[in-house]
Amino acid sequence: MTSTGGAGTSGMVDWNLAVATATRLVRPGPEVSRDEAREVVAELRRHAKASEEHVRAYTRMIPEGAAPHDTPVLVVDRAGWIKANVAGFRELLTPLLGKMQDRRAGTPGSAVLGAFGGKITGVELGMLLSFLASRILGQYETFAPATRDLPAGADGGGRLLLVAPNIVHVERELDVTPHDFRLWVCLHEETHRTQFTAVPWLRDHLKGEIQSFLTATDVDPGTVVERLREAAQTLVGGRPEGEEGEPTPSLVELVQTPEQREILGRLTAVMSLLEGHADYVMDGVGPQVVPTVAEIREKFQQRRARGASRLDLALRKLLGLDAKLRQYRDGERFVRAVVDQVGMDGFNRVWTSPNTLPTKAEIAAPADWIARVHRKADS
């Protein structure tokens, strides 16, 4: 990646240093021969293509014959995932970093502190990414500017990443059938790709909400850097979970303002919807095409719930990943309840506009969403 100045290498975060640090520290993947690696990549690409047809038929989100916005499917290694995510973070965090840099401008020694602080934060971000890069199986990267090595969809939006070494690692750890597990993972991630390619307004809506959340922050730059430092120290074992027995607050818990809390409620609801819908579709399609889906689901749920280690649990808390686990559960219950009541086409009214997305309260009370969206529309 090349620097563009400003927030690139001399601003609040040295993004190039974040990539270099994460790539250097990330654990090596499982041992595979060159021929096996090629076979894994080829099979994931085949499964991604097959999943596209399965998911579209099951969800009925894309009318037959329609041409949705297309986005690429990329099978990457851990270093490729790191580069892609740094590019996405950089795009999303620009408003917040600009505000933080403006706040710091004019203070004594700000230029020297800025360059030095940007390198520290780049290293710390790289340490966090090195941890996450060995755990992510797949990801629909919604805000994905194209780079020389990583293409993206038109207008800077979207690519599906499948992290081959992590998929192989987990299928071995769970002792499940590789062919079935790879297809099962692709079904989940393809659902996310379908959500964004079938609903053109969703990406811009979500990006607008996230950037509104970030620009509304009233957090001191030093506080953000301190949270990154706490996460990095936890990662390398240099710091316990909390000081004197107290739990470490998550980055999400830095929310300060009523406006941020309101936006965060809407973001939590839409993320619960997206994650729960992907789990629901994966379970709905799975029995038709994945013979061992019941075994995979049971073993994967156990792994997801317990984390891999105490370190995993500490970082999940710090990064707010426990909330993501709740999103899977709550969102899947919402989707299942709505489909049971009004069918798949009735559920698909959720994609009509931002106004038909469920609220955080409606995620927990699906009947309220049905009453608001269906009875109002049908009256």
Side-chain angles (χ1 to χ4, degrees):
M1 296 175 62
T2 58
S3 169
T4 56
T9 57
S10 60
M12 299 293 294
V13 180
D14 186 330
W15 299 106
N16 295 337
L17 187 56
V19 171
T21 301
T23 303
R24 185 175 68 253
L25 295 180
V26 70
R27 296 175 181 177
E31 290 188 13
V32 295
S33 67
R34 183 169 297 180
D35 287 344
E36 184 181 1
R38 279 197 291 261
E39 191 278 328
V40 170
V41 170
E43 184 173 28
L44 286 172
R45 287 176 176 155
R46 291 195 301 270
H47 284 333
K49 183 61 179 176
S51 296
E52 183 178 334
E53 301 303 320
H54 294 313
V55 169
R56 290 183 183 183
Y58 188 81
T59 63
R60 300 201 289 274
M61 291 179 65
I62 301 174
E64 191 172 347
H69 296 267
D70 195 23
T71 56
V73 178
L74 307 178
V75 181
V76 298
D77 58 11
R78 291 170 177 175
W81 181 87
I82 288 166
K83 291 176 182 177
N85 275 266
V86 166
F89 283 153
R90 184 172 180 174
E91 170 131 331
L92 269 183
L93 291 176
T94 294
L96 175 62
L97 296 177
K99 180 177 180 178
M100 291 167 67
Q101 190 148 344
D102 288 344
R103 175 182 291 187
R104 195 173 59 185
T107 59
S110 61
V112 174
L113 287 174
F116 184 65
K119 291 187 180 301
I120 292 175
T121 308
V123 169
E124 290 166 345
L125 178 59
M127 293 171 72
L128 288 178
L129 287 170
S130 73
F131 172 83
L132 294 173
S134 63
R135 284 154 174 79
I136 303 297
L137 302 182
Q139 171 189 6
Y140 186 75
E141 200 192 2
T142 314
F143 314 109
T147 67
R148 183 177 54 207
D149 302 322
L150 295 163
D155 301 320
R159 57 184 164 226
L160 176 58
L161 306 177
L162 297 169
V163 191
N166 297 350
I167 293 172
V168 171
H169 171 78
V170 173
E171 70 191 26
R172 291 178 178 178
E173 177 188 323
L174 298 181
D175 190 24
V176 292
T177 304
H179 172 87
D180 288 2
F181 183 73
R182 294 168 193 176
L183 177 55
W184 187 75
V185 170
C186 288
L187 289 170
H188 181 98
E189 302 307 334
E190 177 57 38
T191 303
H192 286 316
R193 182 168 175 255
T194 297
Q195 289 163 348
F196 285 93
T197 56
V199 186
W201 56 265
L202 185 58
R203 175 186 177 272
D204 288 341
H205 171 73
L206 192 59
K207 183 176 182 179
E209 291 279 61
I210 292 172
Q211 293 197 331
S212 294
F213 176 83
L214 293 174
T215 55
T217 189
D218 195 30
V219 178
D220 180 79
T223 305
V224 175
V225 171
E226 178 60 25
R227 290 299 183 270
L228 284 170
R229 185 168 294 115
E230 288 171 354
Q233 290 172 342
T234 300
L235 177 61
V236 298
R239 183 181 186 281
E241 268 189 78
E243 298 289 350
E244 299 179 357
E246 295 184 1
T248 302
S250 74
L251 294 174
V252 172
E253 291 169 342
L254 289 174
V255 172
Q256 299 288 317
T257 68
E259 181 184 0
Q260 278 189 300
R261 286 191 287 271
E262 184 177 333
I263 298 169
L264 185 60
R266 296 196 299 268
L267 281 170
T268 299
V270 71
M271 294 309 297
S272 296
L273 170 69
L274 297 177
E275 296 293 357
H277 182 237
D279 266 12
Y280 177 83
V281 172
M282 183 169 60
D283 286 348
V285 176
Q288 306 168 35
V289 297
V290 182
T292 61
V293 66
E295 176 192 359
I296 291 172
R297 183 67 158 149
E298 181 181 359
K299 289 183 175 180
F300 193 79
Q301 286 286 66
Q302 291 172 356
R303 181 183 187 273
R304 180 189 275 175
R306 69 174 181 265
S309 64
R310 183 176 179 275
L311 176 61
D312 240 12
L313 296 174
L315 278 172
R316 277 184 2 193
K317 166 62 179 172
L318 184 63
L319 300 175
L321 298 182
D322 282 338
K324 186 175 179 68
L325 298 183
R326 290 194 296 273
Q327 288 169 6
Y328 284 109
R329 295 192 298 268
D330 297 346
E332 196 274 341
R333 283 195 292 264
F334 170 83
V335 176
R336 187 172 301 280
V338 172
V339 174
D340 286 348
Q341 288 292 313
V342 297
M344 185 65 77
D345 291 333
F347 165 78
N348 281 340
R349 288 191 185 181
V350 78
W351 312 115
T352 304
S353 75
N355 293 329
T356 56
L357 292 171
T359 64
K360 187 176 179 182
E362 287 170 343
I363 288 287
D368 292 348
W369 179 85
I370 293 172
R372 177 172 67 86
V373 173
H374 278 264
R375 293 176 190 171
K376 182 181 293 186
D378 296 340
S379 61

